[in-house]
Amino acid sequence: NAGVMQNPRHLVRRRGQEARLRCSPMKGHSHVYWYRQLPEEGLKFMVYLQKENIIDESGMPKERFSAEFPKEGPSILRIQQVVRGDSAAYFCASSPGGSHEQYFGPGTRLTVT
Amino acid sequence: QQQVKQSPQSLIVQKGGISIINCAYENTAFDYFPWYQQFPGKGPALLIAIRPDVSEKKEGRFTISFNKSAKQFSLHIMDSQPGDSATYFCAAMGETGANNLFFGTGTRLTVIP
């Protein structure tokens, strides 16, 4: 049973470019969460999605960031016009409905040059 | 503000010793308290979790102690091994319907042979 998959594992973007991060949840999981981790810090919640619905985006910056979890395919976290401060590790987690347990993927390490 | 406070920031323990990491929270709505283990370059892995209706939960060498009145919980690693060297994060979740985890800032554990 494959775990949560994220790609790419490493992403380098120049300032002003767009970054697209993908997450495929564990089989049977319908809930997806995105977290951001800055160096030497804990994870910070960004957004919680179910298929075709954003449930909670209270942790998302108001501008440049968006997320989706379409009916088919992976969840996407999109960062437009990236800035150096966006450099971080972005983790996706998934859970089955009705469970608090969240299982994390290996993360995408974004570097903005 | 930091919803979950974790200490110490770093910890060095001799092989065979007991590692103890502490966390404290303020929000009494939290009802699920997991611990995650993270190795460098990897995603956090769910280690053990507890609900506030029990004061202790043990799984192998890992034990969570929970003090509801003090709003504190701790992770004890018995017979610590060099392979336990990692960063440990406590977290908390409440019955808000949003299902997002609030993480502590992490404890870097080093177990020396």
Side-chain angles (χ1 to χ4, degrees), chain B residues 19 37 39 61-62 77-88 109-111:
Chain B
S19 303
Q37 178 190 58
F39 292 104
R61 295 185 294 111
F62 300 91
I77 307 174
M78 313 300 285
D79 187 26
S80 299
Q81 299 296 314
D84 296 331
S85 298
T87 299
Y88 292 81
L109 171 65
T110 303
V111 181

Side-chain angles (χ1 to χ4, degrees), chain A residues 35 37 40 45 48 56 102, chain B residues 36 38 98-101 108:
Chain A
Y35 292 82
Q37 185 178 35
E40 307 299 322
F45 168 77
Y48 162 38
D56 180 1
Q102 295 185 16
Chain B
Y36 283 84
Q38 185 179 30
N99 285 9
N100 53 291
L101 288 166
R108 182 174 292 180

Side-chain angles (χ1 to χ4, degrees), chain A residues 14-26:
Chain A
R14 291 182 175 169
R15 279 180 298 170
Q17 291 184 320
E18 178 179 287
R20 290 168 67 94
L21 289 61
R22 295 175 186 77
C23 168
S24 295
M26 287 179 70

Side-chain angles (χ1 to χ4, degrees), chain A residues 19-88:
Chain A
R20 290 168 67 94
L21 289 61
R22 295 175 186 77
C23 168
S24 295
M26 287 179 70
K27 187 176 181 181
H29 288 192
S30 56
H31 298 224
V32 165
Y33 313 81
W34 286 93
Y35 292 82
R36 176 164 62 177
Q37 185 178 35
L38 295 172
E40 307 299 322
E41 291 188 15
L43 286 78
K44 295 285 196 295
F45 168 77
M46 299 181 74
V47 62
Y48 162 38
L49 310 104
Q50 296 179 24
K51 285 285 188 182
E52 299 185 281
N53 284 302
I54 296 174
I55 307 302
D56 180 1
E57 56 182 347
S58 59
M60 287 272 273
K62 293 287 186 281
E63 299 176 351
R64 302 187 298 107
F65 286 72
S66 62
E68 62 177 10
F69 189 15
K71 187 177 180 180
E72 300 291 338
S75 174
I76 306 284
L77 179 68
R78 182 185 293 112
I79 311 172
Q80 297 177 301
Q81 299 175 328
V82 296
V83 300
R84 289 233 172 96
D86 296 333
S87 294

Side-chain angles (χ1 to χ4, degrees), chain B:
Chain B
Q1 72 282 20
Q2 191 69 30
Q3 295 258 10
V4 180
K5 296 181 180 177
Q6 183 171 348
S7 64
Q9 193 172 10
S10 62
L11 182 61
I12 299 174
V13 173
Q14 289 271 355
K15 178 183 175 182
I18 303 173
S19 303
I20 302 174
I21 305 170
N22 301 299
C23 285
Y25 65 97
E26 286 298 325
N27 189 344
T28 54
F30 288 150
D31 70 337
Y32 173 72
F33 303 88
W35 285 88
Y36 283 84
Q37 178 190 58
Q38 185 179 30
F39 292 104
K42 305 293 185 184
L46 180 62
L47 200 57
I48 187 173
I50 198 168
R51 296 273 191 165
D53 52 347
V54 297
S55 60
E56 186 175 283
K57 183 174 181 180
K58 184 176 181 180
E59 288 185 3
R61 295 185 294 111
F62 300 91
T63 300
I64 299 179
S65 296
F66 188 84
N67 186 329
K68 188 174 181 179
S69 60
K71 292 186 285 187
Q72 296 175 348
F73 58 111
S74 60
L75 176 69
H76 297 233
I77 307 174
M78 313 300 285
D79 187 26
S80 299
Q81 299 296 314
D84 296 331
S85 298
T87 299
Y88 292 81
F89 293 95
C90 62
M93 180 192 291
E95 286 189 87
T96 62
N99 285 9
N100 53 291
L101 288 166
F102 293 92
F103 280 86
T105 50
T107 296
R108 182 174 292 180
L109 171 65
T110 303
V111 181
I112 53 178

